[in-house]
Amino acid sequence: DQQVKQNSPSLSVQEGRISILNCDYTNSMFDYFLWYKKYPAEGPTFLISISSIKDKNEDGRFTVFLNKSAKHLSLHIVPSQPGDSAVYFCAASLYNAGNMLTFGGGTRLMVKP
Amino acid sequence: GAVVSQHPSWVICKSGTSVKIECRSLDFQATTMFWYRQFPKQSLMLMATSNEGSKATYEQGVEKDKFLINHASLTLSTLTVTSAHPEDSSFYICSARESSGRETQYFGPGTRLLVL
């Protein structure tokens, strides 16, 4: 049973436009969410996170939105740059479960110049 | 951000041999380190959680006798793939969480293992 899902395996966006990556989860007990960026043959790089007590967190070009009632979070990248092209994973954690991360399947973002 | 290193970055070995992968947190102390495995075009799958000074906790389906984990210090965890077989070929990634922090895990660059 996949508790964290990224339903779009890939996304193509024009440079300068907004990229929106979506993530859904089923376990309402998750209380912390993270986004990671990953290049092939490299480890994931932490991008941004959000606690379940918030609905928005912003860091530069990256903004994460959390809708707890819909069990949905999204990552907005504005403006998108070719260097943003990578696979993006959302992850969720549960404090009482030792903060282990449960990852979504990833979305490959391609930003075209 | 915090830096996590892995060594080696890639390894090729013969079937039946054992391979040790090191994971180090370079600029912070990590009471907890995690080991993941990633198959091509798939997500990261947690193999085990390693706590400093105690036995690792393995996820269901992961053989503890095959994937030996040692977390001897606050900055070092090792994963040993014993009697490696071709099906063990994969990309192994570790992550570490700061002792003073909470959820954010910082990942190593990964180790690609190819068993011939």
Side-chain angles (χ1 to χ4, degrees):
Chain A
D1 175 35
Q2 257 191 306
Q3 295 190 67
V4 180
K5 291 183 181 180
Q6 293 175 254
N7 291 318
S8 298
S10 65
L11 173 69
S12 182
V13 171
Q14 202 68 33
E15 181 179 7
R17 297 288 184 99
I18 183 172
S19 295
I20 300 176
L21 298 109
N22 294 304
C23 179
D24 297 294
Y25 60 96
T26 57
N27 188 343
S28 58
M29 300 300 289
F30 284 137
D31 55 3
Y32 202 78
F33 304 88
L34 308 91
W35 283 94
Y36 287 87
K37 174 181 179 180
K38 187 180 183 300
Y39 296 111
E42 293 185 14
T45 302
F46 170 71
L47 281 176
I48 192 168
S49 62
I50 187 167
S51 166
S52 61
I53 63 174
K54 295 186 176 181
D55 54 20
K56 176 183 176 181
N57 189 26
E58 190 173 353
D59 184 1
R61 296 187 298 117
F62 302 94
T63 303
V64 56
F65 295 91
L66 175 63
N67 182 335
K68 288 189 293 293
S69 60
K71 297 191 185 69
H72 176 85
L73 67 154
S74 61
L75 174 68
H76 293 211
I77 306 174
V78 181
S80 301
Q81 300 171 355
D84 295 329
S85 297
V87 177
Y88 288 78
F89 290 96
C90 69
S93 75
L94 177 57
Y95 180 74
N96 289 335
N99 294 322
M100 292 185 299
L101 293 181
T102 301
F103 283 90
T107 297
R108 181 175 300 280
L109 172 66
M110 292 163 285
V111 180
K112 298 179 179 178
Chain B
V3 179
V4 176
S5 70
Q6 270 183 252
H7 178 80
S9 57
W10 60 271
V11 58
I12 301 173
C13 69
K14 292 183 178 179
S15 185
T17 60
S18 294
V19 175
K20 180 186 280 189
I21 303 170
E22 291 187 349
C23 177
R24 292 180 185 272
S25 56
L26 298 185
D27 51 0
F28 65 99
Q29 291 185 328
T31 51
T32 306
M33 289 184 170
F34 303 86
W35 287 95
Y36 293 84
R37 185 173 179 177
Q38 186 185 28
F39 290 105
K41 297 184 180 180
Q42 293 188 27
S43 186
L44 293 90
M45 299 301 296
L46 179 65
M47 297 175 66
T49 302
S50 168
N51 290 296
E52 186 264 338
S54 62
K55 290 183 178 180
T57 303
Y58 290 81
E59 295 300 299
Q60 193 172 10
V62 178
E63 299 176 58
K64 61 179 67 177
D65 293 332
K66 180 161 186 68
F67 298 99
L68 300 178
I69 291 173
N70 183 273
H71 192 160
S73 75
L74 285 172
T75 60
L76 173 65
S77 176
T78 60
L79 167 68
T80 301
V81 183
T82 62
S83 186
H85 291 285
E87 58 265 29
D88 299 324
S89 300
S90 189
F91 192 54
Y92 293 87
I93 310 173
C94 73
S95 72
R97 190 177 69 224
E98 292 185 74
S99 304
S100 59
R102 212 206 115 170
E103 291 82 355
T104 302
Q105 291 179 25
Y106 297 95
F107 286 81
T111 297
R112 183 162 299 283
L113 171 63
L114 177 61
V115 184
L116 302 176

